[in-house]
Amino acid sequence: MTNNIIEKYKKILQKQDFEFLKRIYSNDIKVYEKRILQYEFTNFENVLDAGCGFGQWSIPLAKHNTNVYSIDISKERVSFTEELAQELNIKNLTTSLQSINSTNFKDNSFDAIFCYGVFFLTDWKKTLQEFKRLLKPKAKLYLNANGMGWYLNLLINEHNKTSSYNPRKYALDCIINTERYINNKSLYQEGLDVIIEKNELLDALKLYDFFDIVVADEGKLNSQEAHSFFKGTYHGQTGVYELTALKDKSN
Ligand SMILES: C[S@@+](CC[C@H](N)C(=O)[O-])C[C@H]1O[C@@H](n2cnc3c(N)ncnc32)[C@H](O)[C@@H]1O
């Protein structure tokens, strides 16, 4: 079933996007469902999948929660997620085309926000403020980000290199963009990665009054034995890490 939609999108997507789509669904959807259960993203009334991409997290989120809202700025990815949900007869998933750092949802709309592989592509301090606005008091946030180690992996090992994706250029663009995010915001480009070191993010979460913050290497939250897609350390530096946090009780 999923294969028919994937083949249809071969004609619609750019080569690099199609390679990404194929990579995602080379895993059984159960791999993503297992993670959702591991992270205890279940039994919520309203969940936001922030930057849903091709919907591999939205589908299990919809299975285990009452309502799921999936947003992304890519119209192809939003329409893929929509078609996949229809194909699988999932009725409690609503998609829309919007940016995660300026959404049209009301304050305190969500019991949980799930944000995989997206936060660092945005002006993340603004995104954090938006998540705080959208979450109900004590609601749950999941996100992940990359330290310098991940970009060393791209530079040194050329991870996932293809004819349409140059990991070295990607890493160099990120390093330049990070410097601009910190020191020269007018030149910073949203949509390119920014390195977010763990301590910096933890400080920002505390500043925004998030609490019960739990941090782990990618895939390892609540279970050190779980399967990871990425490593927590590359070349002795922080790689891909993830966290959950709760919004403060007061507002
Ligand atoms: C690496 S993909 C991750 C997608 C999905 N969450 C996953 O785990 O596969 C990054 C996604 O973020 C989306 N994106 C980038 N900037 C965004 C923004 N400001 N608002 C919403 N989505 C964004 C891209 O279109 C893309 O689908």
Side-chain angles (χ1 to χ4, degrees):
M1 265 190 328
T2 313
N3 281 344
N4 292 343
I5 307 180
I6 292 176
E7 278 315 304
K8 174 179 160 190
Y9 273 77
K10 187 173 187 173
K11 296 184 199 92
I12 297 169
L13 296 172
Q14 303 276 332
K15 192 163 180 245
Q16 189 184 330
D17 272 6
F18 185 67
E19 282 162 1
F20 181 60
L21 171 62
K22 292 279 278 188
R23 227 171 24 246
I24 287 167
Y25 285 102
S26 64
N27 293 313
D28 193 295
I29 195 104
K30 285 200 169 63
V31 172
Y32 304 105
E33 182 177 10
K34 205 169 159 193
R35 280 280 187 100
I36 294 301
L37 298 174
Q38 179 189 332
Y39 297 152
E40 298 173 352
F41 258 71
T42 57
N43 301 314
F44 292 116
E45 182 71 19
N46 293 320
V47 179
L48 177 67
D49 186 1
C52 63
F54 293 109
Q56 78 273 26
W57 302 105
S58 300
I59 301 296
L61 282 169
K63 182 169 168 190
H64 292 284
N65 296 279
T66 310
N67 301 302
V68 172
Y69 298 84
S70 300
I71 64 170
D72 201 285
I73 50 165
S74 154
K75 73 175 187 321
E76 291 82 10
R77 291 179 191 217
V78 167
S79 66
F80 181 93
T81 302
E82 178 81 34
E83 282 185 48
L84 185 59
Q86 274 172 20
E87 188 74 31
L88 300 173
N89 205 22
I90 291 168
K91 309 264 191 236
N92 59 337
L93 197 164
T94 308
T95 61
S96 59
L97 193 62
Q98 45 182 328
S99 173
I100 64 169
N101 59 26
S102 56
T103 72
N104 61 14
F105 299 109
K106 293 194 179 113
D107 293 3
N108 302 333
S109 291
F110 294 102
D111 303 282
I113 296 179
F114 187 81
C115 183
Y116 191 99
V118 188
F119 188 64
F120 48 84
L121 289 165
T122 67
D123 177 345
W124 64 269
K125 291 183 183 169
K126 190 173 166 207
T127 301
L128 202 55
Q129 263 176 296
E130 179 68 354
F131 286 170
K132 183 172 157 108
R133 184 185 76 75
L134 294 176
L135 288 165
K136 294 177 187 170
K138 294 202 263 181
K140 186 167 179 171
L141 172 65
Y142 167 94
L143 54 83
N144 57 26
N146 309 317
M148 184 62 190
W150 171 248
Y151 299 97
L152 289 177
N153 180 41
L154 298 186
L155 281 169
I156 296 166
N157 305 321
E158 298 190 271
H159 177 86
N160 274 344
K161 183 179 180 176
T162 67
S163 58
S164 59
Y165 170 64
N166 179 347
R168 285 196 172 148
K169 178 174 181 335
Y170 195 92
L172 288 174
D173 286 346
C174 165
I175 290 165
I176 295 168
N177 207 39
T178 305
E179 192 279 334
R180 290 175 171 170
Y181 189 67
I182 296 166
N183 298 318
N184 202 344
K185 194 78 185 284
S186 64
L187 292 176
Y188 157 75
Q189 236 182 296
E190 250 200 315
L192 295 181
D193 285 32
V194 163
I195 300 166
I196 311 174
E197 291 299 351
K198 227 183 260 179
N199 286 345
E200 208 184 351
L201 179 52
L202 293 180
D203 286 349
L205 283 163
K206 285 175 198 152
L207 190 70
Y208 289 116
D209 298 320
F210 282 86
F211 70 110
D212 268 6
I213 304 168
V214 187
V215 192
D217 292 350
E218 194 274 347
K220 301 293 186 195
L221 260 182
N222 302 337
S223 168
Q224 278 310 305
E225 291 74 45
H227 165 264
S228 291
F229 298 126
F230 304 100
K231 291 200 275 185
T233 305
Y234 295 89
H235 302 286
Q237 297 203 38
T238 301
V240 186
Y241 63 95
E242 61 187 6
L243 60 85
T244 51
L246 303 182
K247 179 179 152 170
D248 79 302
K249 305 166 190 112
S250 56
N251 52 31

